[in-house]
Amino acid sequence: MSRELLVVQRARKSFQTGKTKPLEYRIHQLKNLLRFLSERRSDIADAVKRDLGKSAHGTELFETLGLEGEINLAIEKLAEWAAPRPVEKSLLTIFDEVYIQPEPLGVMLIIGTWNYPWAITLQPLVGAIAAGNAAVIKPSEVSSHSAKVMEELLPQYLDKDLYPVVTGGVPETQELLKQRFDHIFYTGSSTVGKLVMAAAAPHLTPVTLELGGKSPCYIDKNCDIRVACRRITWGKFVNCGQTCIAPDFILCEPSIQSQVVEEIKKCIKEFYTDNPETFEDYGRIINQRHFKRLMALMEGSTVAVGGNSDESQCYIAPTVLKDVTEESEVMKEEIFGPLLPIITVSGVDEAIQFINEREKPLVIYIFSHDNKLIKKVIAETSSGALLANDCLVHYTVSALPFGGVGNSGMGCYHGRHSFDQLSHLRSCLIKQLKMEGVNSMRYPPHTAKKLGWARFLLKQVNMCRLRRMALLATLASVAILFSFSIGTATAF
């Protein structure tokens, strides 16, 4: 019997005791997770530094700060999220209890990724705990130092049986995927996402796939190009470009390409100094395999800014590529690194066509002062999200569902969306064993002939319309009484 099977069996046995059902227990676990982030801040920062070359400040800003916000929100709102949700009644159920009751799905598998090894792995865990699930946590083996810290320290704060951490590489992940789960949450590439979905199919296990893709960024020639390039530079090169929602490439008209290059060049210098290699807030490529992949993507393109590299350090400078075509190597896959190609188009119509001829991206970025142009892009394209005049920040809004569409993923999370995604929203209808005359409306015609009028009402009238009619009748009555009172007072 494999270690992975034993872990899953133990989690399921513990879940079946019902200990995760009380909200007090869930809140206690969430508070323990919050305490873990606070007390182990230095261990987390050190692990991320060793994995990605990220500074302690960068780790706090892009890893733990958002996690703490998600946990605090879940603690504050859990009673509201988990409460029964009344729904619209029909005439047939007007005297009954009709509501939606969120309930736990069961045992989840969370497969994390390496580019944000803490935020992306633990954010789904927040939703899993809040929804009352057990969860097996599989951090990415690529970010090995973070995985080791998670394996060693997280069980000191959370229930070891309900929330075990399983480390290892591809064989361990494959063994986990052979087991039956009630939900699988995977973040990573679309290639692996297909394998996860295929593994889930024999058990009819639902999946949430948070994938990536080539997120385009269109710059309108009439916008403030300096501000646009400043925000694009930040969004592209943070975490050395290893962000699933980073702008993958720029679309703009030929007349502004040179200006875009110059403005981004200025911003790179401002953000990362003349020598980003020695700047503490500019990280490194995760490993040499990805380093070599990125260097190969530059072949055949003109380097307009940057291009410097050091394989021994897995360092690639912030790089801008110009005069790129759709046949260029850099346009054949998601970049996931500090390379920013520029493709010229004749205008927004050609940009929209270019976007629609490819897989649906995780996010579309657009920079423009023209609200009609922005609405046009929204109306004529499809993506997981659309962000106008900034980069990345939609990820920080817990009220917005975060997720992809098509090749960029399925399902969503953050805030209440995490809770709902990882819950079963159970339909509940509670009737009474009386008023059988009304219930006869649903019986065979020979039983309910005398209630033909009621059948007609059921087909023709809905509760919203009845409420509106009642409200109008009430207002009319008040108006008549008011008019009568004025008339009487005038008479005297």
Side-chain angles (χ1 to χ4, degrees):
M1 190 176 291
S2 69
R3 175 188 62 146
E4 290 75 21
L5 174 58
L6 288 172
V7 166
V8 176
Q9 286 182 343
R10 190 164 61 245
R12 190 169 298 282
K13 184 177 180 181
S14 187
F15 171 78
Q16 288 171 344
T17 65
K19 67 193 299 185
T20 65
K21 291 288 184 74
L23 301 190
E24 295 79 9
Y25 181 84
R26 306 181 201 181
I27 289 172
H28 177 67
Q29 293 296 308
L30 288 170
K31 287 182 176 178
N32 283 349
L33 185 58
L34 196 62
R35 187 164 58 87
F36 164 74
L37 294 174
S38 174
E39 294 178 359
R40 301 297 184 171
R41 197 174 301 274
S42 60
D43 297 290
I44 293 170
D46 180 64
V48 175
K49 177 70 175 178
R50 295 170 73 184
D51 284 327
L52 289 152
K54 195 181 298 183
S55 68
H57 171 73
T59 297
E60 182 173 9
L61 186 61
F62 294 104
E63 297 271 10
T64 58
L65 198 61
L67 267 174
E68 289 169 345
E70 283 283 305
I71 297 170
N72 284 320
L73 179 66
I75 292 171
E76 178 189 351
K77 297 289 187 179
L78 184 56
E80 176 188 330
W81 295 347
R85 306 174 188 180
V87 298
E88 190 71 37
K89 295 182 181 181
S90 67
L91 279 176
L92 191 63
T93 60
I94 193 170
F95 299 111
D96 306 322
E97 287 186 66
V98 188
Y99 59 94
I100 297 168
Q101 178 64 63
E103 66 176 19
L105 286 169
V107 181
M108 285 183 55
L109 172 62
I110 299 172
I111 305 175
T113 190
W114 52 263
N115 58 324
Y116 293 93
W118 294 92
I120 291 179
T121 306
L122 296 187
Q123 272 212 9
L125 179 62
V126 174
I129 295 172
N133 298 301
V136 177
I137 305 152
K138 173 58 180 68
S140 173
E141 70 280 7
V142 178
S143 49
S144 58
H145 298 95
S146 293
K148 184 178 180 182
V149 170
M150 197 177 295
E151 179 187 35
E152 292 177 352
L153 300 183
L154 195 59
Q156 297 179 25
Y157 293 83
L158 298 181
D159 188 300
K160 297 184 182 113
D161 293 332
L162 284 167
Y163 312 110
V165 179
V166 176
T167 57
V170 173
E172 288 77 11
T173 304
Q174 289 175 335
E175 186 62 30
L176 278 172
L177 288 170
K178 292 177 184 177
Q179 314 309 320
R180 184 177 71 83
F181 290 94
D182 299 292
H183 196 99
I184 299 175
F185 196 111
Y186 167 76
T187 304
S189 69
S190 57
T191 301
V192 178
K194 294 173 184 177
L195 298 176
V196 171
M197 196 169 182
H203 301 293
L204 294 178
T205 299
V207 296
T208 300
L209 302 178
E210 297 298 337
L211 311 177
K214 297 184 74 63
S215 296
C217 177
Y218 177 69
I219 305 176
D220 177 16
K221 67 179 180 181
N222 297 315
C223 78
D224 188 327
I225 294 175
R226 183 187 66 83
V227 172
C229 290
R230 184 179 175 83
R231 295 179 184 182
I232 293 167
T233 302
W234 172 76
K236 176 62 182 183
F237 298 113
V238 70
N239 200 34
C240 213
Q242 298 166 119
T243 304
C244 62
I245 51 173
D248 193 87
F249 59 93
I250 288 175
L251 296 169
C252 68
E253 295 186 31
S255 60
I256 64 170
Q257 179 178 213
S258 296
Q259 185 181 356
V260 167
V261 169
E262 285 306 310
E263 291 296 341
I264 293 176
K265 183 178 181 179
K266 291 176 188 175
C267 291
I268 291 172
K269 181 178 179 180
E270 177 188 351
F271 294 168
Y272 303 112
T273 74
D274 284 320
N275 187 8
E277 188 172 5
T278 61
F279 189 63
E280 68 168 351
D281 278 328
Y282 186 73
R284 294 294 183 267
I285 306 305
I286 186 68
N287 56 33
Q288 289 196 340
R289 180 173 69 85
H290 281 280
F291 174 90
K292 291 175 180 176
R293 178 186 65 83
L294 288 165
M295 294 303 294
L297 290 181
M298 281 197 277
E299 293 178 6
S301 296
T302 302
V303 175
V305 179
N308 304 326
S309 64
D310 181 349
E311 184 174 351
S312 66
Q313 296 293 320
C314 286
Y315 166 77
I316 300 177
T319 299
V320 179
L321 306 173
K322 68 176 183 178
D323 299 324
V324 175
T325 68
E326 55 185 299
E327 289 81 24
S328 301
E329 288 297 319
V330 76
M331 292 303 296
K332 292 180 180 178
E333 62 180 74
E334 182 181 4
I335 295 170
F336 222 68
L339 312 180
L340 182 57
I342 301 176
I343 294 179
T344 56
V345 292
S346 60
V348 68
D349 288 324
E350 187 178 347
I352 290 172
Q353 181 182 350
F354 190 93
I355 293 168
N356 288 339
E357 287 174 349
R358 285 153 182 80
E359 297 283 4
K360 294 180 180 181
L362 190 53
V363 58
I364 292 173
Y365 296 106
I366 177 171
F367 287 83
S368 177
H369 292 306
D370 186 347
N371 197 49
K372 287 184 178 179
L373 189 148
I374 294 170
K375 297 293 185 182
K376 177 183 176 68
V377 175
I378 293 174
E380 297 182 16
T381 62
S382 177
S383 59
L386 183 138
L387 178 54
N389 299 322
D390 210 339
C391 290
L392 311 190
V393 294
H394 64 293
Y395 184 89
T396 67
V397 183
S398 294
L400 287 175
F402 181 84
V405 59
N407 204 61
S408 57
M410 62 179 66
C412 61
Y413 70 125
H414 285 188
R416 181 169 182 161
H417 304 288
S418 296
F419 180 89
D420 286 352
Q421 181 77 20
L422 304 178
S423 297
H424 170 53
L425 302 182
R426 190 181 195 181
S427 300
C428 296
L429 171 61
I430 302 175
K431 296 186 71 69
Q432 299 178 15
L433 287 172
K434 55 185 179 180
M435 301 182 68
E436 189 63 10
V438 175
N439 288 335
S440 295
M441 284 185 274
R442 58 195 171 99
Y443 295 151
H446 66 274
T447 306
K449 279 182 181 178
K450 59 185 179 181
L451 293 174
W453 58 271
R455 289 180 175 277
F456 175 77
L457 281 177
L458 279 172
K459 292 179 180 177
Q460 301 297 324
V461 181
N462 60 46
M463 295 306 297
C464 287
R465 190 175 300 169
L466 281 178
R467 274 202 292 270
R468 287 197 297 269
M469 290 170 63
L471 179 60
L472 287 172
T474 302
L475 290 173
S477 300
V478 170
I480 291 170
L481 287 173
F482 184 71
S483 299
F484 177 77
S485 299
I486 292 176
T488 305
T490 304
F492 285 98

